[in-house]
Amino acid sequence: MRVNRFLRVRTPLFDGVISADFKWQGTLAEPVLIGDARTTSGRIIFPFGSLEVSRAQASFASSDQDGPQLLINAAGRNYRYEIRLDLKGPMNGATLGFTSTPPLSSERILLMLTAGELPEQENVFSATSKAGRVVSFLGQGFYNRVVGGEDTDDRRIIRSGGSLTPGGNTTSYTQYKFSR
């Protein structure tokens, strides 16, 4: 069974469209799924930033004791940093790595994206500002469940935190993609 762009996924952590190429093996009592699910576009969402997915794949084989093999590559600009995420390996033991330009450790990048902790020499969010961003992040998932997504949601993107101004404020932008 090969299906292109068959599943729209919208969660508080990921927004994208999935394609699949699967086949079933085994018996009805013990079916085995073989193949892969993939996407070449999407967005991984953190409370203080996001990363565009260039490739994500989960490959299922009959011999996978540790779950499917994962391969995810994503990148994005957050607070003057070009950040890259690479995840590879079996689901139960995948290695996750972050890199950035200018360089930061994986731990610092993760703190920046999840808790708004910027390196000491840069602007620091107030406790109130951090709490507001986290509440907004959590509330967006609730809003999408209650209101439901419209067809225009995948064409409208609102982001903040791409850069810092000389005064220490974060920038934001709105992007709207037009169709034919």
Side-chain angles (χ1 to χ4, degrees):
M1 167 178 73
R2 172 176 252 164
V3 286
N4 246 352
R5 302 179 58 83
F6 80 100
L7 180 63
R8 173 77 186 177
V9 178
R10 281 196 180 139
T11 71
L13 301 175
F14 177 75
D15 184 9
V17 179
I18 308 294
S19 298
D21 186 4
F22 288 122
K23 64 181 176 178
W24 292 100
Q25 289 185 343
T27 65
L28 190 56
E30 293 184 29
V32 177
L33 181 67
I34 297 180
D36 57 55
R38 66 197 167 289
T39 186
T40 56
S41 66
R43 195 162 55 116
I44 299 172
I45 306 161
F46 296 94
F48 290 87
S50 63
L51 301 173
E52 295 294 323
V53 174
S54 58
R55 179 180 181 190
Q57 183 170 326
S59 297
F60 298 82
S62 61
S63 61
D64 289 341
Q65 297 298 319
D66 292 326
Q69 291 289 318
L70 303 176
L71 176 61
I72 300 173
N73 304 117
R77 181 173 177 83
N78 293 278
Y79 310 108
R80 282 189 249 186
Y81 294 90
E82 294 294 331
I83 298 172
R84 182 169 171 79
L85 173 145
D86 294 299
L87 183 129
K88 186 176 183 179
M91 182 177 243
N92 291 340
T95 57
L96 173 65
F98 287 97
T99 56
S100 71
T101 305
L104 290 173
S105 68
S106 286
E107 293 80 14
R108 284 310 253 153
I109 295 169
L110 195 56
L111 275 172
M112 179 173 55
L113 294 173
T114 59
E117 292 290 328
L118 299 177
E120 291 79 25
Q121 69 271 21
E122 299 197 27
N123 179 34
V124 178
F125 293 103
S126 69
T128 304
S129 175
K130 285 182 186 179
R133 296 279 300 249
V134 171
V135 168
S136 174
F137 172 76
L138 297 173
Q140 184 65 39
F142 176 74
Y143 173 81
N144 286 341
R145 277 194 301 270
V146 171
V147 174
E150 297 179 14
D151 290 340
T152 60
D153 285 348
D154 59 344
R155 294 190 307 248
R156 184 184 60 238
I157 300 170
I158 300 171
R159 290 205 186 108
S160 64
S163 297
L164 293 172
T165 65
N169 297 317
T170 60
T171 62
S172 60
Y173 72 88
T174 301
Q175 176 181 349
Y176 193 85
K177 299 177 186 176
F178 291 98
S179 65
R180 291 184 182 208

